[in-house]
Amino acid sequence: MGVGRIGAVLTALGMLSVCAASGSGHVAKRETGAEAEGAEPWDGAVFRPPSALGAVGVARNPGTRRPGREEAVDLPVLLWWSPGLFPHFPGDSERIECARGACVASRDRRVRGDSRTRALLFYGTDFRASEAPLPRLAHQSWALLHEESPLNNFLLSHGPGIRLFNLTATFSRHSDYPLPLQWLPGTAYLRRAAPPLQQRAEWRRRGYAPLLYLQSHCDVPADRDRYVRELMRYIPVDSYGKCLQNRELPTPRLQDTATATTEDPELLAFLSRYKFHLALENAICDDYMTEKLWRPMHLGAVPVYRGSPSVRDWMPNNHSIIIIDDFESPQKLAEFIDFLDKNDEEYVKYLAYKQPGGITNQFLLDSLKHREWGVNDPLLPNYLNGFECFVCDHELARLDAEKAHAASPGDIPVPEPHIAQLSHMACPMPTPGFGSVEEIPENDRALSLARDHSICLRFLWPHSEKGRIHSCAEVP
C-alpha cells in the first residue's frame, strides 16, 4: 500500500473510533478502501484454519435438539460481517448454546438493523474501514477475531484501528479472548521423539546442511530474508521455499506452498532430517508465534528464532530454542550453531523438554490447561466457535446489566462500553534483522519499504492520536 493511502484510511479509522468509544450512531465519512495486504500462501481473504485445527464445525452437545425459528425469536443475534468465514454453519443462522445461555449466530446481513442484533463480528484480514457497516448502532458491540499478524491488516496495530472494537480475540495474551497458543495442540505435540542423532549425521554426510529455511512469502518487513542471506555467508543453509531457494523439495507435491504449512507426514519426515530450523515470523509482535516455531520443536529440531519478543514466556523450559536477537551479528550466530552441530552433548540439551518432566514452564502448562478452546480436541470447541460463545456470553451479561439499570436507574449506572486497547495487538516498533534501518540498501525494494514504514511509524505512532500527523506522507 502506498504511504499516501495510509493517511486516508487512518483518517477513516479515527472518525470511526469516535463512534466506537461513544456508542454514537452518527454517520462517519467513508474513505478510500484499503487493498488486501500480503498474506502467507494459505491465508488470502478467506479464513482457512491451519491443519492443526481440523475442520471448522458447530459445537453442539450430543443429543441437543435443533430448535425451530420460534424458539430463537427472543435470543440475541451475533452477525458475522466477514463472508470469508463461511460456510461456518449450514444455513444463514444457527442457534449456539453457551455458558451463560443461548444466542443466534447469523450471516444474514438483513438483520443488521434489528434490535435483537447485539454484536457484529469481524475477521480482521477481511476488515476494511471503507466498508464498515455505518451508521454504527448504539446498542451493538463490534467484535474482532484476528489471529494473524499485522502483515494481513496493519491498520489494526494502530490505536484508532483497534479501538473500533469492543471485544477482541487475537494472538496477544492481553486480548479479551487470547489465542497465543493457536498452533500448539498440547504438550504431547512437543514431546514427540526426535530422530536419532546418528540418522541426522548420516544426512549431513550426504551433503545436507545443518540448517533449514523453508519460506515462500518473501521480502516481508520483519527482514527475515535479508538476515538469512547474510547468515548464509557464514554457515550452510538449505533453502527450499521460494525465498532464497537453493534446493528443491523431493517431490512436486511437497513443493506446493500449500503443503508447506501443513502437518503432511511426508513433509514432516523430510524436515526432521535437519538439526536446526530457521524460524522467522513475518511480523514481530508479543505472543505472535506460529508453526514456524512449534513445528521444529515437534520434529525435534532446534528453532533458530526471531519473532515474538515474549517468546521465552511460552517455552517448555529455558533452554529449548536459539533466539537470533541474542547474538550481535549473523556471523556470531553461525559460529554458535556450528559449535552445537559439532557437539552432540551440548545440542541434546536443547531437546531436554522431550524427556519425562522436561517441560518445566508452569505458565505454559497452565495456559494449555485453562484455555477454553482446543486444537484437534473433541472435548473443546475450536477458537472460532469459542469466540462466538465468548461474545454471546458478553452480550447476555450486557443485556442483564441494561435491564438492571432500567429497573433501578437511580441505583444502578448505565454499563460502560468495553473498548479494545492497543495492547490487544501488542506489536512493538519494527526493527531490522541486523544492522540499522539506515544501512538498508536503496535498491532493496522490500527492505526500503520496511525502512520507510519503520521511519514513518517512529513519527506516526506517538502523534497520530493527538491529531498532529495522520499520514506517512506528512512525515518530514
Side-chain angles (χ1 to χ4, degrees):
M1 175 185 293
V3 294
R5 302 186 68 183
I6 295 174
V9 182
L10 282 178
T11 300
L13 286 171
M15 297 177 74
L16 284 168
S17 62
V18 174
C19 299
S22 66
S24 168
H26 293 302
V27 179
K29 182 179 179 181
R30 295 170 73 94
E31 297 292 334
T32 303
E35 295 175 357
E37 296 297 312
E40 297 289 51
W42 56 272
D43 291 331
V46 178
F47 179 79
R48 300 174 188 168
S51 60
L53 281 175
V56 174
V58 178
R60 202 186 269 114
N61 291 329
T64 300
R65 182 169 61 90
R66 186 182 180 92
R69 289 183 61 85
E70 68 282 1
E71 297 179 72
V73 68
D74 294 325
L75 298 180
V77 175
L78 315 179
L79 175 58
W80 278 102
W81 200 257
S82 301
L85 280 171
F86 294 95
H88 169 50
F89 39 72
D92 285 336
S93 299
E94 182 81 27
R95 176 177 173 136
I96 58 175
E97 300 289 343
C98 302
R100 198 177 182 98
C103 293
V104 173
S106 179
R107 59 175 175 178
D108 186 349
R109 291 189 174 190
R110 292 175 297 178
V111 305
R112 184 242 167 178
D114 195 294
S115 61
R116 294 170 300 173
T117 302
R118 299 283 299 181
L120 268 61
L121 281 61
F122 301 87
Y123 183 49
T125 299
D126 293 344
F127 180 77
R128 297 294 177 264
S130 63
E131 300 169 1
L134 300 174
R136 179 160 182 169
L137 304 182
H139 70 283
Q140 292 176 349
S141 298
W142 280 16
L144 172 71
L145 172 66
H146 191 52
E147 87 291 9
E148 278 294 342
S149 78
L151 191 64
N152 289 64
N153 194 340
F154 77 92
L155 295 173
L156 299 174
S157 295
H158 294 273
I162 195 66
R163 282 196 295 272
L164 290 174
F165 301 94
N166 304 101
L167 304 172
T168 61
T170 75
F171 52 78
S172 171
R173 74 184 82 177
H174 302 296
S175 68
D176 299 306
Y177 192 78
L179 307 174
L181 299 176
Q182 59 184 288
W183 285 93
L184 181 59
T187 55
Y189 186 78
L190 294 173
R191 291 194 177 108
R192 178 184 187 265
L197 288 178
Q198 299 92 322
Q199 188 179 91
R200 284 175 165 168
E202 174 60 26
W203 285 111
R204 294 282 281 110
R205 285 192 290 271
R206 294 189 189 184
Y208 287 86
L211 195 54
L212 167 87
Y213 188 50
L214 177 60
Q215 188 57 59
S216 291
H217 189 188
C218 311
D219 297 331
V220 297
D223 201 16
R224 58 190 176 198
D225 292 337
R226 191 173 71 105
Y227 189 96
V228 175
R229 186 183 298 111
E230 180 71 9
L231 184 66
M232 286 174 165
R233 296 177 56 196
Y234 306 105
I235 192 169
V237 177
D238 286 348
S239 181
Y240 289 95
K242 294 178 181 178
C243 310
L244 308 179
Q245 184 178 26
N246 56 24
R247 297 194 74 155
E248 288 275 6
L249 287 164
T251 67
R253 188 178 67 81
L254 297 185
Q255 293 163 17
D256 186 340
T257 55
T259 305
T261 55
T262 69
E263 301 285 291
D264 180 86
E266 183 184 355
L267 176 67
L268 296 187
F270 180 82
L271 301 181
S272 66
R273 299 173 180 178
Y274 288 85
K275 295 171 70 174
F276 304 91
H277 287 204
L278 281 164
L280 291 86
E281 307 289 6
N282 64 31
I284 310 298
C285 299
D286 287 348
D287 304 333
Y288 179 62
M289 301 164 292
T290 70
E291 87 289 351
K292 297 175 184 66
L293 171 65
W294 300 114
R295 185 167 64 184
M297 301 181 77
H298 172 63
L299 296 176
V302 177
V304 181
Y305 185 76
R306 186 169 192 256
S308 168
S310 60
V311 68
R312 285 184 174 91
D313 293 350
W314 303 98
M315 290 299 95
N317 60 32
N318 60 7
H319 199 74
S320 47
I321 67 172
I322 298 169
I323 298 178
I324 286 174
D325 288 343
D326 287 347
F327 296 84
E328 64 182 49
S329 68
Q331 182 176 3
K332 293 295 184 183
L333 173 63
E335 291 171 359
F336 183 70
I337 294 172
D338 184 61
F339 166 75
L340 292 180
D341 186 39
K342 295 174 180 176
N343 291 270
D344 289 349
E345 185 176 343
E346 292 299 316
Y347 176 81
V348 296
K349 291 179 181 179
Y350 282 84
L351 305 180
Y353 63 87
K354 292 187 173 293
Q355 304 304 316
I359 299 179
T360 59
N361 182 352
Q362 195 61 42
F363 176 69
L364 174 65
L365 294 172
D366 289 344
S367 298
L368 287 169
K369 179 180 179 180
H370 297 299
R371 67 184 180 185
E372 298 176 3
W373 46 272
V375 178
N376 278 351
D377 187 338
L379 301 179
L380 291 171
N382 60 58
Y383 61 68
L384 193 155
N385 295 119
F387 179 58
E388 277 183 342
C389 266
F390 172 78
V391 176
C392 174
D393 289 338
H394 177 272
E395 293 310 308
L396 290 169
R398 191 162 69 94
L399 274 169
D400 289 344
E402 291 172 357
K403 291 175 182 177
H405 167 72
S408 184
D411 299 323
I412 300 177
V414 178
E416 290 290 328
H418 178 79
I419 304 298
Q421 300 298 312
L422 192 57
S423 63
H424 293 198
M425 288 296 285
C427 300
M429 189 68 63
T431 58
F434 68 98
S436 66
V437 171
E438 289 72 24
E439 293 172 1
I440 297 173
E442 289 293 338
N443 62 353
D444 190 324
R445 181 188 62 83
L447 271 299
S448 293
L449 289 173
R451 178 198 58 204
D452 295 343
H453 185 59
S454 178
I455 292 172
C456 168
L457 292 182
R458 290 181 188 179
F459 289 90
L460 183 59
W461 281 7
H463 301 301
S464 60
E465 295 175 25
K466 299 177 183 178
R468 287 184 282 181
I469 294 179
H470 302 281
S471 165
C472 289
E474 299 175 38
V475 174

